[in-house]
Amino acid sequence: MEKKFIRVRSVKDIVLFISLIIVGCIFATISNAVGVNFAGVILIIAGIIIAFSLRGIYKDVETGEKYQRKELLFKQEMKEPILSALASAPQSIKLSEEGKGQVIRLEIYYGRTSGKAYLKLFEYVPHQYKPCSEMYEYETNKVEKLLK
């Protein structure tokens, strides 16, 4: 099973950049003070930049369901234990080893509303991460330990 996820804007992202633009417009128009007008223009510019760059969630291309993403980094020695845990019991992955290296990356896409989680392991080869496992699908409650 191969899933493809693309980054999209969430409601939170949209509210943020619209709020910045509105507050910037208010500052730029209501005051005669140059500093306040300048701050308003800066807020408008920041809102426009954020509108084009901020995309905080991921969407499954096939189903259209929205997911959040979490990645965990491990050292090379954890590759085999993680691969075996992914195949049967992902909750048994030792999180005490997380963050001690940057050679192995576990990507988790999870949706609270759909109740599904997708896990895939990547290995760092010079200048990029290459997949070293297939994509596994689990119920979110089974991988809840990894999402904390």
Side-chain angles (χ1 to χ4, degrees), residues 22-33:
I22 290 173
V23 170
C25 288
I26 291 170
F27 280 9
T29 58
I30 66 166
S31 177
N32 290 336

Side-chain angles (χ1 to χ4, degrees), residues 2 10 17 23 26-29 35 38 43-44 47 65-66 74 76 78 90 92-94 117-118 128 131-132 148:
E2 191 59 40
S10 68
F17 76 76
V23 170
I26 291 170
F27 280 9
T29 58
F38 183 70
L43 286 175
I44 292 170
E65 292 179 359
K66 297 195 173 151
F74 297 93
Q76 181 68 36
M78 292 297 294
S92 66
I93 295 173
K94 294 180 185 174
Y118 298 95
Q128 65 182 355
C132 61
K148 293 180 183 175

Side-chain angles (χ1 to χ4, degrees), residues 64-81:
E65 292 179 359
K66 297 195 173 151
Y67 293 89
Q68 293 178 335
R69 177 180 170 211
K70 181 170 184 177
E71 67 179 44
L72 304 171
L73 299 169
F74 297 93
K75 53 187 172 180
Q76 181 68 36
E77 296 81 41
M78 292 297 294
K79 180 180 178 182
E80 290 306 318

Side-chain angles (χ1 to χ4, degrees), residues 68-126:
Q68 293 178 335
R69 177 180 170 211
K70 181 170 184 177
E71 67 179 44
L72 304 171
L73 299 169
F74 297 93
K75 53 187 172 180
Q76 181 68 36
E77 296 81 41
M78 292 297 294
K79 180 180 178 182
E80 290 306 318
I82 292 173
L83 282 172
S84 63
L86 282 177
S88 59
Q91 67 273 16
S92 66
I93 295 173
K94 294 180 185 174
L95 288 179
S96 60
E97 297 295 319
E98 195 266 328
K100 294 184 178 176
Q102 295 185 350
V103 179
I104 303 295
R105 181 176 77 193
L106 177 62
E107 284 186 359
I108 306 168
Y109 294 94
Y110 61 97
R112 301 270 186 212
T113 56
S114 67
K116 296 178 187 175
Y118 298 95
L119 291 82
K120 190 169 188 173
L121 194 65
F122 293 84
E123 183 174 26
Y124 185 77
V125 221

Side-chain angles (χ1 to χ4, degrees), residues 31-49:
S31 177
N32 290 336
V34 175
V36 176
N37 289 347
F38 183 70
V41 170
I42 295 297
L43 286 175
I44 292 170
I45 292 170
I48 292 170
I49 291 171

